[in-house]
Amino acid sequence: MKISVIGCGYLGSVHAASLASVGHDVIGIDVDADKIDALSQGRSPIFEPDLPELLSEGIASGRLRFSTNMADARDAELHFIAVGTPQSAGAGSADLSYVDGAFDDLVPYLTEGDVVVGKSTVPVGTAVTHVADVEARGAHLVWNPEFLREGFAVKDTIRPDRLVYGVAYGDEYSVQKLNEVYATAIESGSPVIVTDFATAELVKVSANAFLATKISFINAMAEIAEVTGADVTKLADAIGHDNRIGRKFLNAGVGFGGGCLPKDIRAFTARAEELGRGESVAFLKEVDAINLRRRERVVELVTEELGGSVFQKKVAVLGLAFKPNSDDVRDSPALDVAVRLNGLGAKVVATDPEAIANSRALHPQLVYGTTDEALAGADAVVVVTEWPEYKQLDPAAVHEVVRTPIVIDARNCLDADAWADAGWEYAGLGRQVKNGRA
Ligand code: UDX
């Protein structure tokens, strides 16, 4: 099928390349000329496993092209809207200007029988504001939310765990078209759920609200564990064995970040308030507050471990991305912790396998280095993103290079006993300090 993908960021670039990989003829369109230039040469503007390979294959096959010109969408019969919906400046609501702009620019090029497919995460009630303009061109509108996780984006796109189509009443035509687009995924077992627009929009935000709530729940238990002597990691294992609860997304630590969960719960709260149902999701404000408190707690732990002040102390901050296998630092708790410690006068040296360039663009005041540079002579080591290379650090070897063997495991990802046995003072979140220092 001939497909256009409007917006080539974290979502659109992966979507375009994945659709080309399953045999479609795809044009990716974005207003950012540098991004289009890189993508056209097969270079991925983001760090995402498997994406570079898919881009090169797609471009070589001739099935994947990129352009800054919306007129190039004219030949396509399906048009995916994959632009961002960031948090509005100074408010919790979603900024819909990119979505509105994409529709305004695309609509003149639509022809009879085209299907416009919204993938961006939008407040409930957005699709309905665009349907008249699309239908006036004889085209159809569908809302088809995306559930991909960064780091697994290609896998999640090619074989999603569910496909949700929000369609206008009785629009079988669009359902058939989307079934054709996603034939490979459907054949390999991805279930399809057809809904109205509002349900499809809500599925996305409620899924993210649920995940955020689950993480803040376990982080709230970590707060209780900290004052009672309990261990939140064992608590998570124990309650996670109940398959009504499940162990996934029960990792207590510095909390959630990224381009989705934080802004999506805030936008959901703002939208519910607009709808006069603020009280229905008022708990999401608490979810957000618990999450933000964890960053403060990490800074507090580092301060406590350093005897009450971080001033002039060298702190190695391991990790800047909001999670491993990503270079994304949007609302990253790791970067936030580095910035806060630096602001308190610590000599922070921050490192990350992939996210230094993005961090430096936002916070040029921080000192960045390699893992070795960060660890050399450190008074404390803080692990804030659970990259495999940090989990695999040898505590005995690292002990040799630091000044003081203090480690703050802000992701509870290290083997606490192994670090304590190697002579470290180990402090996790929601667990007791283990003092292995002689
Ligand atoms: C999320 C949703 O998972 C995805 O379905 C949606 O499409 C977009 O938002 P993503 O932002 O890529 O995906 O990251 P995710 O893997 O969900 O992690 C979000 C944050 O929660 C990360 O900062 C992660 O470190 C944190 N997290 C996750 C925890 O703190 N504890 C956990 O147990 C799980």
Side-chain angles (χ1 to χ4, degrees):
M1 298 176 92
K2 282 185 180 295
I3 293 173
S4 79
V5 177
I6 322 296
C8 294
Y10 282 93
L11 167 58
S13 60
V14 174
H15 198 63
S18 301
L19 289 176
S21 81
V22 294
H24 299 299
D25 188 352
V26 184
I27 175 99
I29 298 175
D30 199 289
V31 291
D32 182 337
D34 290 341
K35 196 183 279 178
I36 290 302
D37 207 36
L39 285 165
S40 302
Q41 294 168 35
R43 277 189 289 116
S44 170
I46 53 168
F47 174 81
E48 184 61 48
D50 304 329
L51 182 58
E53 293 76 10
L54 281 199
L55 286 172
S56 314
E57 282 164 28
I59 288 163
S61 72
R63 284 197 305 273
L64 180 61
R65 289 169 303 125
F66 292 94
S67 166
T68 51
N69 188 356
M70 188 63 89
D72 289 335
R74 198 194 307 258
D75 293 340
E77 53 177 322
L78 271 114
H79 311 270
F80 286 90
I81 306 280
V83 294
T85 51
Q87 189 173 333
S88 303
S93 56
D95 173 357
L96 290 176
S97 56
Y98 300 106
V99 171
D100 294 342
F103 272 96
D104 290 347
D105 294 348
L106 173 67
V107 162
Y109 298 107
L110 295 176
T111 51
E112 183 92 27
D114 282 5
V115 181
V116 180
V117 191
K119 287 206 84 66
S120 307
T121 301
V122 291
V124 58
T126 302
V128 82
T129 64
H130 294 289
V131 72
D133 288 346
V134 171
E135 288 182 355
R137 310 282 307 176
H140 300 243
L141 180 65
V142 182
W143 218 269
N144 168 225
E146 183 55 59
F147 305 100
L148 64 79
R149 297 160 298 166
E150 288 180 30
F152 302 93
V154 169
K155 193 172 142 280
D156 285 350
T157 304
I158 291 178
R159 173 68 171 87
D161 58 12
R162 78 285 210 191
L163 288 157
V164 177
Y165 309 162
V167 298
Y169 182 70
D171 185 4
E172 269 306 310
Y173 175 87
S174 295
V175 173
Q176 289 314 322
K177 286 282 176 193
L178 276 189
N179 282 345
E180 272 180 64
V181 173
Y182 294 126
T184 313
I186 295 169
E187 275 158 28
S188 39
S190 297
V192 175
I193 297 163
V194 180
T195 73
D196 50 80
F197 291 137
T199 306
E201 291 163 332
L202 272 175
V203 167
K204 174 61 196 256
V205 286
S206 60
N208 277 354
F210 190 89
L211 294 172
T213 303
K214 202 168 174 192
I215 299 168
S216 277
F217 173 83
I218 201 65
N219 281 331
M221 295 308 106
E223 292 184 333
I224 304 294
E226 277 155 17
V227 293
T228 53
D231 184 322
V232 75
T233 62
K234 295 226 168 72
L235 182 141
D237 290 343
I239 64 172
H241 278 297
D242 182 335
N243 62 20
R244 293 169 303 175
I245 296 174
R247 181 64 180 81
K248 289 182 184 161
F249 272 66
L250 280 185
N251 293 323
V254 67
F256 58 80
C260 293
L261 299 192
K263 66 124 173 126
D264 286 354
I265 60 170
R266 292 171 198 149
F268 195 6
T269 306
R271 183 66 183 133
E273 284 167 359
E274 271 171 24
L275 293 165
R277 286 288 180 273
E279 71 273 26
S280 305
V281 294
F283 67 92
L284 291 177
K285 287 189 179 159
E286 207 50 54
V287 165
D288 203 2
I290 294 165
N291 192 52
L292 295 176
R293 281 205 296 274
R294 292 285 81 191
R295 302 172 183 196
E296 267 167 49
R297 176 64 189 145
V298 173
V299 172
E300 205 176 273
L301 256 183
V302 179
T303 311
E304 281 169 17
E305 289 295 323
L306 286 172
S309 170
V310 299
F311 189 69
Q312 293 291 304
K313 297 282 173 63
K314 177 169 178 184
V315 181
V317 174
L318 306 189
L320 291 161
F322 83 107
K323 69 173 191 182
N325 292 313
S326 172
D327 64 354
D328 194 348
V329 294
R330 288 176 294 172
D331 214 333
S332 169
L335 180 57
D336 196 9
V337 164
V339 168
R340 288 179 195 220
L341 288 168
N342 197 58
L344 291 170
K347 291 191 218 160
V348 168
V349 180
T351 187
D352 190 281
E354 296 294 337
I356 291 181
N358 285 343
S359 302
R360 188 177 273 129
L362 285 180
H363 291 288
Q365 80 280 16
L366 281 182
V367 175
Y368 300 96
T370 61
T371 306
D372 287 348
E373 286 163 352
L375 293 173
D379 294 295
V381 177
V382 193
V383 178
V384 236
T385 311
E386 69 278 33
W387 284 94
E389 38 273 77
Y390 304 149
K391 291 187 351 193
Q392 286 153 17
L393 281 172
D394 173 2
V398 182
H399 194 302
E400 296 294 306
V401 300
V402 296
R403 208 165 78 86
T404 331
I406 295 173
V407 63
I408 288 85
D409 181 6
R411 290 288 184 181
N412 292 331
C413 63
L414 304 177
D415 179 340
D417 291 329
W419 283 72
D421 290 348
W424 287 78
E425 173 132 323
Y426 169 95
L429 285 188
R431 43 206 317 212
Q432 301 314 296
V433 172
K434 281 184 196 276
N435 191 342
R437 280 196 284 172

